[in-house]
Amino acid sequence: MISVVTGAAGGMGRIIVRELARRGDTVVAVTRSVAQFEHENVEVMTADLSSLDDVRRLAAQITARHGALHLLVNNAGAHFRDRVVNADGVEMHIAVNHLGGFALTNLLLPTLLAGAPARVVNVVSAAMTDTRQMKIGRHPRPVTLEPTPLTDLNGEAGFEPFTAYARAKLLTLMAGYRLAETTTGVTVNAVNPGVAGTKIVDDMMPAFMKPFGAMVKRSMLTPEQGADAILRVATDPDLEGVTGRYFDRETEARSPEISYDRALQEWVWTSSATITG
């Protein structure tokens, strides 16, 4: 079995790589910079997923080395406190959390089909259902999405980093639903692993909470617990052939209502494909 894991150097990523390697997979661990892993059957490849040129180079490197793939875990994620755009003019939450994985999945799709039955697992976030960082009151604030050019999404006016992060994860979820409907031989599912005490939590934490960061993270899931939810969707034999689903940790669940809008799904796919080529 040949597996690819992005965000492999992060808290959950390292655990996913370790457990896949332990079961005997050859694991392509995609990291932003060179990293070391304990198992000999781990191949480290570096890439900046905010750069489409780098994603294309990565995909070419993977396919040159492996003629068939059996699993792709789009685990990479990032949170940015300020609004920044990449070389293509796309806001960085969308560039890293959506377009990087979208482009990589499509570039690797022929190689995944060669390894069929294969799986794609997109790691998303419950932030899609409630973009409030402080959950005060009973009414959640789901992320919104309007069909506008992707280069205009998460614009400067009213920019909120956590909402921008949630919107990018929603794009990934919806593109995955669209791919699942049109692909045979490769299943595509999304999973929210829960809020685990990883580095991205440090990036998201409001400044006034920083002094209590260690205590806050102790109240969260461990990286191992978060990774377990991802690994289940990636490897559970009972999920063979299951596609187009969203899992809230171990439980199949309903994602935000907007994610089921077929017209919006098509817009997400077309807009993303236009930018990524």
Side-chain angles (χ1 to χ4, degrees), residues 14 19 35 38-39 49 85 120 131 150 166 183 222 229 241 244 246 255:
R14 281 190 172 275
E19 294 306 311
E38 60 183 293
H39 291 86
L49 296 185
V85 298
V120 174
T131 58
L150 285 189
T183 305
T222 64
Y246 167 67
S255 56

Side-chain angles (χ1 to χ4, degrees), residues 168-217:
K169 291 295 188 180
L170 177 65
L171 293 174
T172 289
L173 174 73
M174 295 175 71
Y177 283 161
R178 165 62 165 68
L179 181 59
E181 283 198 344
T182 57
T183 305
T184 302
V186 179
T187 61
V188 185
N189 293 297
V191 57
N192 160 43
V195 182
T198 60
K199 184 180 180 299
I200 198 168
V201 171
D202 297 328
D203 297 334
M204 292 178 174
M205 198 172 294
F208 73 89
M209 291 184 66
K210 290 287 186 182
F212 312 102
M215 181 176 65
V216 170
K217 287 173 77 172

Side-chain angles (χ1 to χ4, degrees), residues 13-63:
R14 281 190 172 275
I15 296 161
I16 295 166
V17 170
R18 181 191 71 200
E19 294 306 311
L20 291 174
R22 280 180 176 175
R23 79 167 189 168
D25 289 18
T26 295
V27 184
V28 178
V30 179
T31 63
R32 186 178 172 86
S33 55
V34 176
Q36 299 294 320
F37 294 85
E38 60 183 293
H39 291 86
E40 292 182 358
N41 49 327
V42 175
E43 304 171 359
V44 178
M45 297 187 185
T46 60
D48 176 0
L49 296 185
S50 73
S51 164
L52 291 174
D53 285 342
D54 228 23
V55 173
R56 295 182 188 107
R57 178 193 56 77
L58 170 66
Q61 187 178 358
I62 293 171
T63 54

